[in-house]
Amino acid sequence: MTSERSSRKGGRSRDPRGERGIPEATVARLPVYLRALTSLSDSDVSTASSEDLATAAGVNSAKLRKDLSYLGTYGTRGVGYDVNYLRYQIAREIGLTQDWSVVIIGIGNLGHALANYSGFASRGFQVTALLDSDSARVGEAVGGLKISSLDDLDAIVQDNTVAIAVIATPAEAAQEVCDRLVAAGVSSILNFAPAVLSVPGHVDVRKVDLSIELQILAYHEQRKAQGVLADLDELEAGAI
Amino acid sequence: MTSERSSRKGGRSRDPRGERGIPEATVARLPVYLRALTSLSDSDVSTASSEDLATAAGVNSAKLRKDLSYLGTYGTRGVGYDVNYLRYQIAREIGLTQDWSVVIIGIGNLGHALANYSGFASRGFQVTALLDSDSARVGEAVGGLKISSLDDLDAIVQDNTVAIAVIATPAEAAQEVCDRLVAAGVSSILNFAPAVLSVPGHVDVRKVDLSIELQILAYHEQRKAQGVLADLDELEAGAI
DNA sequence: ACGATTTTGTTCTCGCGTTCACAAACTCTT
DNA sequence: AAGAGTTTGTGAACGCGAGAACAAAATCGT
């Protein structure tokens, strides 16, 4: 997994309330299922088996069935799942039946790209503000929005009832921006800055770190290369 | 974790060779430790305890010690770890003592941002080519590099011994681009396109998906809000 | 020199997540 | 109507990862 939850340790068993809690690993896959269902729906497929869905989502069918069983019993034995019905149920479970207001902090290279990314709006996430600490950039228009000053954070968060923020600042600024976000009432943060953020327990942080991903790939790549060398050694040693 | 390995199922226990295999969860944290060590080194700290390191990396100290123990015994009891020595050892283990050539495919908003991102080069990842299928963009300069045509992929990969590629195309194009990359000999792929890629077993794919991350945050956010409502209900019902 | 203190490396235990395998439930054919 | 064929939902087994806890090893103070 690329990202980590920094708060909320427990899975469903530690839930103080008795209500259905969905395992974290399952939650992380629901959006993938949703995408697969949307794709099938666009292809006018009205019913799909767990095997079909699993293939489309790139997972094993038993896992998919167990994941879906946490939401309820939405399938029909001997038939499969109604694509549109299941799609709605997952969307509702994730919370995509309502719109979410998102602000992006730090409009550098990455912030720019995120502001122009169309994939957000299509899923019910609306970027309502772009903030930057550089006063020279305030007022500049990016992706149909004007950049606001970081000083207006509190007002912006309150006016738009923002719960989710995206940090795309340099690493040095990330913790301070994070603190201000939390103070303003934001309780979910997507962090692109290569920095460890410390937040109060009620705030969720997810991290996306490009250079970490590359390093993980490099590790395995190096390992493959070593394996080849070792195989050659064995070959020379006449072991095979 | 946000991303998934699509190939290579086993952890260290299934390793056919008897050599030390590092658990996947540990591999994913090594880059974080590396960053923490670099930061300490920049602050002229020469020695650090597991507690210090763990705090800087945002993990628990027992976990950190166990992770490091997979690499070897690089600490000194009663003292701690030599920052620069440990840093070198982790870098070597990950494979950062060599340079990695990386190509980026799909120079849209995101590809643009990635091409300009300075965080790659600083960690030994050198972007050697930018590719796009849109012939109108070929030749355009981005971040000091000229965009090449996708048709030149094979030659570029071979000339630069590229093992790692970044896919930043729209979802529709991702699988085809992926197939061509694999055919050209690339065996590690970082995928930003919101699509499930299918690859042969020897190829590693890691996925970074912004909209999935937001959806996971939305789920928890919704859950927090429901919890508040439930608490209010209990209050009204006189349960407290 | 030796006990007190610090801190690592490792063992052990527990819980989560994955997968197998099968009974239950539904459809279809005859 | 009944048996054959499908496909879901779930119980059970298993392996990996997290964290507590402790023994081993180093330093420090006297």
Side-chain angles (χ1 to χ4, degrees):
Chain A
M1 329 230 160
T2 346
S3 6
E4 267 178 295
R5 310 276 312 292
S6 68
S7 51
R8 279 206 195 195
K9 31 194 172 228
R12 65 197 177 293
S13 61
R14 297 214 191 155
D15 195 326
R17 226 179 300 279
E19 62 198 45
R20 59 182 175 186
I22 300 178
E24 194 57 32
T26 298
V27 170
R29 280 187 294 265
L30 290 181
V32 181
Y33 301 156
L34 193 57
R35 186 172 287 154
L37 285 165
T38 302
S39 165
L40 287 173
S41 179
D42 288 348
S43 310
D44 288 324
V45 177
S46 62
T47 302
S49 70
S50 63
E51 200 69 49
D52 297 338
L53 279 176
T55 303
V59 301
N60 152 320
S61 70
K63 195 192 296 195
L64 180 133
R65 286 200 302 277
K66 177 155 280 196
D67 283 342
L68 294 184
S69 77
Y70 290 117
L71 311 189
T73 57
Y74 297 133
T76 308
R77 298 177 190 221
V79 178
Y81 300 89
D82 181 291
V83 170
N84 283 316
Y85 180 59
L86 182 58
R87 183 159 73 119
Y88 172 76
Q89 293 299 339
I90 293 182
R92 191 181 49 76
E93 192 70 40
I94 298 181
L96 300 188
T97 45
Q98 64 181 281
D99 259 32
W100 295 95
S101 181
V102 176
V103 295
I104 300 175
I105 328 282
I107 314 301
N109 279 320
L110 185 58
H112 234 92
L114 295 175
N116 282 309
Y117 182 51
S118 59
F120 290 151
S122 70
R123 291 260 177 272
F125 295 96
Q126 197 165 8
V127 179
T128 51
L130 308 175
L131 304 178
D132 202 298
S133 62
D134 183 357
S135 53
R137 310 197 64 167
V138 172
E140 186 183 327
V142 174
L145 274 177
K146 279 194 177 173
I147 298 179
S148 306
S149 165
L150 239 187
D151 297 330
D152 300 336
L153 180 63
D154 280 48
I156 290 171
V157 167
Q158 258 135 57
D159 289 354
N160 301 284
T161 61
V162 175
I164 303 178
V166 177
I167 296 182
T169 66
E172 306 78 56
Q175 183 64 59
E176 196 204 320
V177 165
C178 174
D179 291 343
R180 294 177 69 166
L181 284 169
V182 171
V186 170
S187 51
S188 289
I189 294 174
L190 181 53
N191 178 32
F192 283 88
V196 176
L197 297 181
S198 71
V199 293
H202 67 283
V203 177
D204 276 328
V205 176
R206 293 192 66 87
K207 187 176 57 176
V208 174
D209 196 312
L210 316 185
S211 112
I212 286 184
E213 297 301 323
L214 283 181
Q215 291 178 49
I216 295 172
L217 286 174
Y219 170 81
H220 292 295
E221 197 59 44
Q222 188 196 32
R223 210 123 198 297
K224 289 179 210 166
Q226 277 178 209
V228 172
L229 291 179
D231 287 345
L232 286 177
D233 285 351
E234 284 179 17
L235 213 62
E236 282 175 12
I240 299 181
Chain B
M1 5 286 40
T2 350
S3 2
E4 265 179 293
R5 310 278 312 295
S6 68
S7 53
R8 283 207 193 192
K9 35 197 167 227
R12 66 197 176 294
S13 60
R14 296 215 190 153
D15 196 326
R17 225 179 302 277
E19 62 199 44
R20 60 186 174 180
I22 300 178
E24 195 57 33
T26 296
V27 171
R29 280 187 295 267
L30 290 181
V32 180
Y33 300 156
L34 192 57
R35 187 173 287 156
L37 285 165
T38 302
S39 165
L40 287 173
S41 180
D42 289 348
S43 312
D44 288 325
V45 177
S46 62
T47 302
S49 69
S50 63
E51 200 69 48
D52 298 338
L53 279 176
T55 304
V59 301
N60 155 316
S61 70
K63 196 192 298 193
L64 179 132
R65 285 200 302 277
K66 182 176 275 193
D67 283 341
L68 295 184
S69 77
Y70 290 116
L71 311 190
T73 58
Y74 296 135
T76 310
R77 298 177 191 223
V79 178
Y81 299 90
D82 181 290
V83 170
N84 283 316
Y85 181 59
L86 182 58
R87 184 160 72 121
Y88 173 76
Q89 292 299 339
I90 294 181
R92 191 182 49 75
E93 191 70 40
I94 298 180
L96 300 189
T97 45
Q98 65 182 280
D99 259 32
W100 295 95
S101 182
V102 176
V103 295
I104 300 175
I105 329 282
I107 314 301
N109 280 319
L110 186 58
H112 233 91
L114 294 176
N116 282 307
Y117 182 49
S118 59
F120 290 150
S122 71
R123 293 260 177 271
F125 296 96
Q126 198 166 6
V127 179
T128 50
L130 308 176
L131 304 177
D132 202 298
S133 62
D134 183 358
S135 52
R137 310 198 64 169
V138 171
E140 186 183 327
V142 174
L145 275 175
K146 279 193 178 176
I147 299 179
S148 305
S149 164
L150 240 185
D151 298 330
D152 300 335
L153 180 64
D154 280 47
I156 290 172
V157 167
Q158 257 136 57
D159 289 353
N160 301 283
T161 60
V162 176
I164 303 178
V166 176
I167 296 182
T169 65
E172 305 79 54
Q175 182 64 58
E176 196 204 321
V177 165
C178 174
D179 291 342
R180 294 178 69 167
L181 284 169
V182 171
V186 171
S187 51
S188 289
I189 295 175
L190 181 53
N191 179 31
F192 283 88
V196 176
L197 296 182
S198 71
V199 293
H202 68 282
V203 177
D204 276 328
V205 177
R206 293 191 66 87
K207 186 178 56 174
V208 173
D209 194 313
L210 316 184
S211 112
I212 286 184
E213 297 300 324
L214 283 180
Q215 290 177 51
I216 295 172
L217 286 175
Y219 170 81
H220 291 296
E221 197 59 45
Q222 188 197 33
R223 210 122 197 297
K224 290 179 208 166
Q226 277 178 210
V228 171
L229 292 179
D231 287 344
L232 287 177
D233 285 351
E234 284 178 17
L235 214 60
E236 282 175 13
I240 299 181

